[in-house]
Amino acid sequence: MNSYKGLLKKDWLLSKNWMMIGLFIMLGIILISWGFSQYYDNPYILFGVCLTIFSFHIFYIFAFFISSLILEGKTHLWLHSPQSTLALVSSKLLIAVFINVISISIFSLILYVVLKLYKGIIPYSQVYTNISVDIFFYSIGITIIGIYFGVLGLFYWVVYQSLGSVTFLKKWKGIVLIVIFLITNYCINKISQWDVYESILQFGPIPIQLVTQFTIGDQESGMSYFGLGPEMLSVGGIATYVTVVLGIIYVSSWLIDKVVEMT
């Protein structure tokens, strides 16, 4: 346990500068958009930027994983670590989720303040009555999808590195990876159309809805941003999600153990 805590601490120390740089860049963009919003007397400029940055947190964990994995691939740290590969991967995932929660919480607050500040101008209240609840569930939905994208990024990175260890595929690993990606997506789309899959997802409905999209619209001006799409939770859906994420992590860890050299 102490060794795993040390691993978490190491990943945090390596990641906190990455997080701070990302925060300062996004806050800088918001400040610039606020300036343009004031100059042109158009609050939709500030709101649109805030909502876009908030929504792009769906790729936050993915971006963290990719940057961290690139570092690992250059230094070969995983090959010389006494920790199990599964421990190394799970540590990075936990830290990625942690810094995502910090960042998305900050921008949730900013988005909330902007919507409250311009409540009489941006017609949010005409469509939805509880801004804070919608933003909260939207942030949860973004994080859940972000974790999935993150572990997928891990999987494809490991596959790419594994292909590099196969002599006759080394020069073509980029093309092979694209083919694998297309085949995987095709299989996922086919499975999602199965009746049994739909039955599993609908099993044990839970009276909680996650917001996976967001809508702010003005019928008079025709301005619209995103779409608020509540997704009903279910026991079957949660079990499927957890199984898929854990399965991808396990397969990725197994592949890392089998890779002799990461290039």
Side-chain angles (χ1 to χ4, degrees):
M1 181 60 70
N2 289 333
S3 60
Y4 191 73
K5 288 182 179 178
L7 185 60
L8 288 171
K9 184 177 180 180
K10 184 264 292 183
D11 283 328
W12 164 247
L13 291 175
L14 290 175
S15 306
K16 64 178 183 179
N17 288 338
W18 186 92
M19 180 189 70
M20 295 303 297
I21 291 173
L23 284 175
F24 282 126
I25 291 175
M26 290 185 286
L27 287 172
I29 293 173
I30 288 178
L31 284 174
I32 293 173
S33 68
W34 175 79
F36 278 106
S37 185
Q38 293 294 309
Y39 181 79
Y40 291 104
D41 192 25
N42 186 350
Y44 280 96
I45 296 175
L46 174 60
F47 166 72
V49 171
C50 288
L51 184 56
T52 300
I53 289 176
F54 181 76
S55 301
F56 267 96
H57 277 76
I58 197 171
F59 302 110
Y60 197 91
I61 295 173
F62 173 83
F64 169 83
F65 249 133
I66 293 301
S67 62
S68 180
L69 292 170
I70 290 174
L71 175 63
E72 297 287 356
K74 290 180 178 179
T75 61
H76 298 252
L77 291 175
W78 281 359
L79 298 179
H80 307 289
S81 174
Q83 296 281 353
S84 68
T85 303
L86 192 58
L88 294 168
V89 171
S90 64
S91 172
K92 291 188 178 299
L93 179 59
L94 288 174
I95 295 300
V97 173
F98 179 68
I99 64 176
N100 174 80
V101 169
I102 293 175
S103 182
I104 204 170
S105 297
I106 293 172
F107 291 99
S108 294
L109 179 60
I110 293 174
L111 182 60
Y112 175 80
V113 169
V114 170
L115 285 171
K116 280 293 187 180
L117 185 63
Y118 296 108
K119 185 177 181 181
I121 302 175
I122 298 175
Y124 179 90
S125 58
Q126 298 177 13
V127 186
Y128 309 108
T129 57
N130 200 327
I131 298 175
S132 59
V133 172
D134 285 338
I135 291 177
F136 174 73
F137 281 111
Y138 187 32
S139 64
I140 293 178
I142 285 176
T143 301
I144 289 174
I145 299 173
I147 292 173
Y148 177 71
F149 283 163
V151 296
L152 272 184
L154 165 68
F155 171 74
Y156 286 117
W157 181 84
V158 172
V159 170
Y160 181 79
Q161 299 296 338
S162 300
L163 290 172
S165 64
V166 182
T167 303
F168 69 94
L169 291 177
K170 193 169 185 179
K171 293 183 179 180
W172 308 98
K173 59 182 181 179
I175 297 176
V176 175
L177 182 67
I178 293 174
V179 172
I180 292 174
F181 174 79
L182 294 175
I183 292 174
T184 301
N185 276 343
Y186 175 80
C187 293
I188 291 174
N189 289 332
K190 285 297 181 180
I191 292 174
S192 65
Q193 296 174 9
W194 292 354
D195 292 337
V196 64
Y197 178 78
E198 288 293 330
S199 299
I200 292 174
L201 292 184
Q202 296 174 8
F203 174 77
I206 300 173
I208 298 176
Q209 290 184 329
L210 288 182
V211 178
T212 55
Q213 295 175 319
F214 211 86
T215 290
I216 302 294
D218 186 343
Q219 294 181 352
E220 294 182 0
S221 66
M223 300 182 71
S224 180
Y225 300 85
F226 297 87
L228 182 61
E231 298 289 340
M232 182 65 72
L233 290 178
S234 68
V235 174
I238 294 174
T240 301
Y241 174 84
V242 172
T243 300
V244 170
V245 169
L246 293 180
I248 294 174
I249 292 174
Y250 178 80
V251 171
S252 299
S253 300
W254 181 83
L255 284 173
I256 291 174
D257 285 334
K258 298 300 179 181
V259 172
V260 177
E261 182 179 3
M262 298 182 186
T263 56

